[in-house]
Amino acid sequence: MKIQRRNKANPEFSLAAMTDVILLMLIFFMITSSAANQSAIDVKLPKAGAIEDNIPNPLTVSIKPDGTYFVDDNPVTREQLESVIVSKLTGQTNKSFTIRADENTMHKDVVFVMEIAEKNKFNIAIATVKDK
């Protein structure tokens, strides 16, 4: 007489729980990465009409209305600015940075940073806010 077991272990693995966890992690990292790109330097960016969102540059140069410079939220003097930018972009594949200038910043201060980019063959982007 042959006795059969009724309770056999099911060796199949369900991927539904793992898919849910991966989806939640993806949402979490997307939200935190967009919040991480915000700079702590308070500047009022000028408004622009039609702009397209681009990939954010890893380096940000902020210029306050009084002519003070910040590289990634760290204060830098005018004399040190070029050497700090060059040292941070050395070895980067994307040699570019974003200029965040207050709407009341003197034009000469923005041009000074643009000349640094031109001299070292860096690409630049100028940060603006969308016009509503």
Side-chain angles (χ1 to χ4, degrees):
M1 176 168 22
K2 192 174 184 181
I3 299 176
Q4 292 184 350
R5 292 186 190 172
R6 291 185 178 178
N7 296 335
K8 282 191 174 183
N10 189 0
E12 295 178 14
F13 182 70
S14 175
L15 293 176
M18 189 184 325
T19 305
D20 291 343
V21 170
I22 291 175
L23 180 64
L24 288 173
M25 288 175 54
L26 178 67
I27 292 170
F28 172 76
F29 287 123
M30 286 174 45
I31 291 172
T32 56
S33 68
S34 66
N37 291 334
Q38 299 297 325
S39 178
I41 306 301
D42 184 31
V43 293
K44 295 178 185 173
L45 297 175
K47 294 182 178 161
I51 60 171
E52 295 180 21
D53 294 334
N54 291 332
I55 298 171
N57 291 319
L59 184 69
T60 303
V61 177
S62 300
I63 309 169
K64 299 275 284 181
D66 60 356
T68 54
Y69 297 95
F70 296 86
V71 176
D72 287 339
D73 300 340
N74 299 319
V76 177
T77 63
R78 185 179 176 99
E79 295 78 24
Q80 297 172 331
L81 185 62
E82 183 172 3
S83 62
V84 170
I85 291 172
V86 170
S87 67
K88 287 198 180 249
L89 291 178
T90 301
Q92 296 280 338
T93 56
N94 181 18
K95 294 190 185 252
S96 63
F97 61 91
T98 303
I99 299 174
R100 294 184 71 244
D102 192 280
E103 62 185 7
N104 296 322
T105 299
M106 298 288 283
H107 186 68
K108 66 178 181 165
D109 296 327
V110 178
V111 170
F112 175 71
V113 178
M114 292 171 80
E115 286 174 346
I116 292 172
E118 176 66 26
K119 179 176 162 185
N120 294 291
K121 304 289 188 244
F122 296 146
N123 295 323
I124 59 170
I126 298 179
T128 59
V129 292
K130 291 183 180 177
D131 193 14
K132 295 182 180 184

